[in-house]
């Protein structure tokens, strides 16, 4: 049996006629940039996130960068974030001209540990970027409390967490802004690059809209430095077709997660640590990530047996070569470093079959001699 990490083909076959129709609509209209499809998606995603504004961007990485710039985070400022994330989180901080300050994670959720944030705050701290990793929100109530006390902005990196909730609150409700990625592999994926900022803050929304079009306001007059980062009409039209299915897909992901956890407990036992949904959270399982010893050997074994897995992420950001000038060294953030050596994400997508999950778990059990 072959089990891919992700297979988007079945979903495309289901939506094919609708997708082709809307693409034909865009091409027939000859309106390709910032038209009605983008507007509709911005309104729908903002409403879904329980906030007032959505600002479509070229991708999720630019969404973080633009949100920081709109919040006036720049040179001389420090931004607190987690090192256990995709590169783009740290990259956006540096591109905005600010300095990333990495804070270690909670070993259970893999998200930034709110207990460690205050010790990292200095007079230069301007913002916090919690990342809702794997589809589970960070402890936003605690983080919002800390931000309020120290007068800091919050940009939630929700690239992996559209639809996630924390004590009934959506992504974007407690932060100054939140950012989504619609990269094809994300829970709501375009057929190319796309992203969005959502915010309740009118000023941040207005500034973000100006920054994504070269800082142009009115047209051809530039008072801030922006660049070209827009969500295009074709991607927005595709996302408008997919968006009504998102909640059903999240439910299917949750069911697959439950099946994995049940099978792993039964067949493998304590050789694996299964992911935990913290009380009050609605986890949308962008990834189903286990912790294991002999992780690299297990991954190799599974690959030989036809099972694809991924390591998100093998090297935390504080020890990435590109950030060496920040002065961190190995051992500085031990919980993130340990997670980087033990985390393994299993195949996860709404169309994954139970037989495939049974096969994956049987092969893990075989590897550990269970
Ligand atoms: C995917 C991702 C991004 C970047 O999104 P792009 O659309 O690929 O630019 C940022 N942060 C995290 C945590 C991500 O997973």
């Amino acid at each position: 049996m072959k089990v891919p990490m992700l297979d988007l083909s079945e979903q495309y076959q289901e939506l094919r006629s609708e997708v082709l129709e809307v693409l034909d609509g865009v091409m027939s209209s000859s309106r390709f940039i910032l038209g009605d499809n983008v507007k509709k998606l911005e309104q729908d995603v903002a409403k879904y996130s329980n906030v007032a504004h959505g600002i479509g961007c070229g991708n999720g990485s630019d969404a973080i960068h633009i949100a920081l710039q709109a919040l006036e985070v720049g040179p001389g400022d420090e931004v607190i974030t987690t090192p256990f994330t995709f590169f783009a989180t740290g990259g956006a901080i540096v591109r905005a001209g600010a300095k990333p300050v990495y804070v270690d994670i909670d070993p259970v959720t893999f998200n930034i540990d709110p207990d460690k944030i205050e010790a990292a705050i200095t007079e230069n701290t301007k913002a916090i970027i919690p990342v809702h990793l794997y589809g589970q929100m960070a402890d936003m109530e605690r983080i919002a409390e800390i931000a309020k006390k120290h007068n800091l902005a919050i940009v939630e990196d929700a690239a992996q967490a559209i639809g996630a909730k924390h004590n009934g609150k959506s992504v974007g409700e407690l932060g100054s802004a939140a950012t989504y990625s619609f990269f094809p592999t994300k829970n709501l994926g375009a057929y190319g690059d796309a992203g969005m900022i959502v915010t309740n803050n009118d000023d941040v929304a207005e500034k973000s809209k100006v920054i994504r079009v070269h800082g142009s306001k009115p047209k051809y007059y530039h008072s801030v430095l922006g660049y070209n980062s827009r969500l295009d009409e074709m991607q927005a039209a595709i996302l408008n077709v997919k968006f009504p299915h998102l909640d059903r897909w999240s439910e299917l992901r949750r069911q697959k997660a439950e099946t994995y956890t049940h099978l792993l407990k039964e067949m493998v036992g304590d050789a694996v640590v299964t992911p935990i949904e913290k009380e009050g959270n609605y986890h949308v399982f962008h990834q189903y990530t286990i912790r294991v010893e002999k992780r690299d050997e297990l991954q190799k074994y599974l690959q030989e047996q036809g099972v694809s897995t991924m390591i998100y992420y093998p090297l935390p950001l504080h020890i990435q070569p590109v950030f060496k000038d920040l002065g961190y060294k190995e051992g500085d953030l031990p919980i993130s470093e340990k997670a980087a050596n033990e985390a393994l994400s299993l195949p996860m997508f709404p169309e994954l079959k139970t037989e495939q999950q049974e096969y994956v778990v049987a092969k893990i059990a075989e590897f550990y001699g269970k």
Side-chain angles (χ1 to χ4, degrees), residues 14 30 35 61 143 218 364:
E14 269 173 44
S30 302
S61 310
I143 295 167
I364 296 172

Side-chain angles (χ1 to χ4, degrees), residues 59-61 64 85-86 88-89 131 157 159-160 181 183 186 194 313:
N59 54 70
S61 310
I64 304 169
T85 176
F86 178 56
T89 317
V131 179
D157 181 347
Q160 305 186 359
S181 165
F183 186 76
K186 302 287 158 95
Y313 295 91

